[in-house]
Amino acid sequence: MDVEKIFHMNGGLGENSYAQNSYLQKKGSDMVKHLTLKSLEETYVSTTPESLGIADLGCSCGQNTLSTIREMVETIDNKFTNIPPPEYRIYLNDLPTNDFNAVFKILPEFYKDLNTERRLRCQNHESSVYIAGYPGSFYGRLFPDKCLHFIYSSYSLHWLSRIPPGLYDKEGRSINKGSFYISKSSSPQVSKAYIDQFQEDFSLFLQSRSKELLSGGRMVLILLGRRDQTHVDRGNSFLWELLSQSFAALVDKGEVDQEKVDEYDAHFYAPSRSEVEDEVKKEGSFEMDRFEMFEVEHYAGPYTSHGTAVARSIRAIQESMISRHFGEEILDELFENYGNLIDEEMEIEDIKPISFIIVLKKV
């Protein structure tokens, strides 16, 4: 499957949309918001531009994106009251398949509220906030040379540019049958295929951003990761294992062909800290400002359980890929099973996916 042409978060505002099912991602980014905003402050202090260029890479759609922008603007406006605020140039990036229209539709009201607040904050100074959509893969160049001061990417960089080609033999058959990701039954070749693809993608990401950022600019990257060199743990890899089990239940009922399951692989990779650091060091354009590991606390919201919340979140992210390969008719039952499996496992032992926040400064 051509990931760039198919993969996208569920658009709109419906029951299964990303906008309605991104609570866990918002909770994770909020947990480290103080580090994001501190990094933005440090960037502004060191560069003091009249026009501040900010890019959100992998912005998706919904209120999460605009709430982050609001907080960034508020931070600079409130922190530096003795000087005129900068002009803000905000670039929202995601794949062309993203529902940018969902963002554009709520922009007029967002501008209205933001400008009202800013008139009160910046009484004697006026500056503008410009927001634009910028479709394209961030695994490659997106922006002109040295036009950005700050780059933000939240829960996007664990998605690879493609399904690793090393997962297939010479006849094009998957060598990871029955699993969607790295599992206990996977051969060392599977892990190597994912590592190779991560290295290729992350290196290209760093090279591209190094040309687009001004000297002294920063990147804040929030992504899923793992604690150590062990690929299989009771975290992100285990959630993929449970999704495989959900499909196995449908195979047993004759609703899905085993061959279709064997052909499906995830374009996902949760790196270790050392794997990230190695690529940053090899590329050479950035110094590591901060690197912290954290766990998102359990869900507490309108849904009946943590498993339901996770299943809805994964569906909002993976539905485009799954429905293309298996068809839409299995989705409701699949993700109901998935939520139940997560809840059952949580009663036995906690599932602890971890996240990284990484702050890189352009040398």
Side-chain angles (χ1 to χ4, degrees):
M1 285 190 285
D2 189 334
V3 169
E4 192 168 338
K5 292 181 179 179
I6 300 171
F7 181 56
H8 60 84
M9 310 295 108
N10 281 354
L13 297 172
E15 181 182 359
N16 295 315
S17 67
Y18 184 80
Q20 299 294 335
N21 295 285
S22 52
Y23 173 87
L24 293 170
Q25 292 90 327
K26 178 69 163 64
K27 192 169 186 178
S29 60
D30 281 350
M31 287 174 65
V32 292
K33 179 171 62 178
H34 62 292
L35 295 177
T36 298
L37 298 179
K38 183 178 180 182
S39 298
L40 176 62
E41 286 178 26
E42 291 170 346
T43 302
Y44 182 68
V45 167
S46 65
T47 56
T48 58
E50 293 183 1
S51 181
L52 182 62
I54 299 173
D56 182 343
L57 306 185
C59 66
S60 190
C61 52
Q63 292 291 345
N64 285 6
T65 296
L66 296 184
S67 66
T68 300
I69 292 170
R70 182 190 298 273
E71 288 162 351
M72 289 181 178
V73 172
E74 287 175 351
T75 294
I76 300 301
D77 283 353
N78 291 334
K79 191 76 174 182
F80 305 97
T81 56
N82 58 325
I83 57 175
E87 167 188 271
Y88 296 90
R89 293 176 285 114
I90 314 291
Y91 305 102
L92 303 181
N93 159 259
D94 213 314
L95 293 174
T97 47
N98 183 56
D99 187 2
F100 283 102
N101 281 339
V103 180
F104 297 154
K105 285 177 182 177
I106 57 179
L107 272 181
E109 192 66 26
F110 174 80
Y111 277 131
K112 180 180 176 182
D113 293 343
L114 183 65
N115 289 333
T116 299
E117 295 167 4
R118 298 192 74 225
R119 278 192 290 270
L120 296 174
R121 285 200 305 269
C122 313
Q123 295 180 5
N124 298 319
H125 306 292
E126 289 189 9
S127 72
S128 298
V129 177
Y130 300 100
I131 301 174
Y134 227 87
S137 170
F138 51 52
Y139 294 121
R141 287 296 300 273
L142 288 167
F143 306 100
D145 286 353
K146 299 179 181 178
C147 71
L148 298 175
H149 301 88
F150 191 77
I151 291 174
Y152 176 74
S153 180
S154 181
Y155 289 104
S156 296
L157 272 164
H158 43 253
W159 297 111
L160 301 172
S161 66
R162 59 180 177 171
I163 298 167
L167 293 176
Y168 302 95
D169 62 20
K170 292 180 180 179
E171 285 72 39
R173 295 170 300 195
S174 174
I175 62 172
N176 197 30
K177 295 187 187 315
S179 297
F180 296 157
Y181 184 54
I182 305 168
S183 67
K184 291 179 180 178
S185 61
S186 299
S187 71
Q189 288 176 273
V190 171
S191 299
K192 185 179 186 305
Y194 276 104
I195 292 170
D196 288 349
Q197 189 61 52
F198 166 75
Q199 290 174 336
E200 177 185 316
D201 284 347
F202 195 55
S203 175
L204 182 55
F205 176 86
L206 294 173
Q207 291 170 28
S208 302
R209 306 294 83 78
S210 72
K211 293 180 174 64
E212 297 162 355
L213 270 174
L214 287 148
S215 180
R218 285 173 174 80
M219 292 198 293
V220 172
L221 312 176
I222 303 170
L223 66 153
L224 296 173
R226 65 185 200 276
R227 296 182 183 279
D228 50 41
Q229 297 306 105
T230 304
H231 284 95
V232 180
D233 59 13
R234 201 171 174 84
N236 294 303
S237 67
F238 189 62
L239 289 175
W240 284 105
E241 178 64 26
L242 292 180
L243 186 60
S244 297
Q245 291 179 25
S246 301
F247 270 99
L250 298 185
V251 170
D252 289 344
K253 294 171 68 174
E255 296 178 15
V256 174
D257 292 335
Q258 182 63 52
E259 184 179 354
K260 296 287 284 185
V261 174
D262 291 341
E263 292 170 348
Y264 192 79
D265 295 288
H267 68 291
F268 170 92
Y269 187 67
S272 66
R273 175 170 183 155
S274 64
E275 288 168 349
V276 172
E277 290 176 334
D278 286 348
E279 293 309 309
V280 172
K281 185 176 180 180
K282 279 193 290 186
E283 196 279 328
S285 298
F286 298 91
E287 62 182 31
M288 191 79 69
D289 231 10
R290 295 180 181 88
F291 196 125
E292 295 192 13
M293 183 186 304
F294 64 99
E295 294 176 8
V296 178
E297 299 167 4
H298 289 174
Y299 174 82
Y303 297 126
T304 55
S305 69
H306 180 75
T308 301
V310 173
R312 285 179 172 271
S313 176
I314 299 298
R315 176 171 181 169
I317 296 167
Q318 278 287 290
E319 183 170 316
S320 61
M321 298 292 285
I322 290 174
S323 62
R324 177 63 174 262
H325 187 76
F326 295 98
E328 297 180 0
E329 61 277 3
I330 67 165
L331 292 170
D332 289 343
E333 185 177 1
L334 172 70
F335 284 102
E336 183 179 354
N337 290 345
Y338 187 46
N340 291 336
L341 281 175
I342 294 171
D343 284 332
E344 289 171 10
E345 287 292 337
M346 291 286 286
E347 290 180 3
I348 300 169
E349 184 184 350
D350 205 357
I351 302 172
K352 296 183 176 181
I354 69 156
S355 299
F356 296 150
I357 178 168
I358 305 159
V359 182
L360 301 177
K361 181 180 178 182
K362 173 72 183 297
V363 177

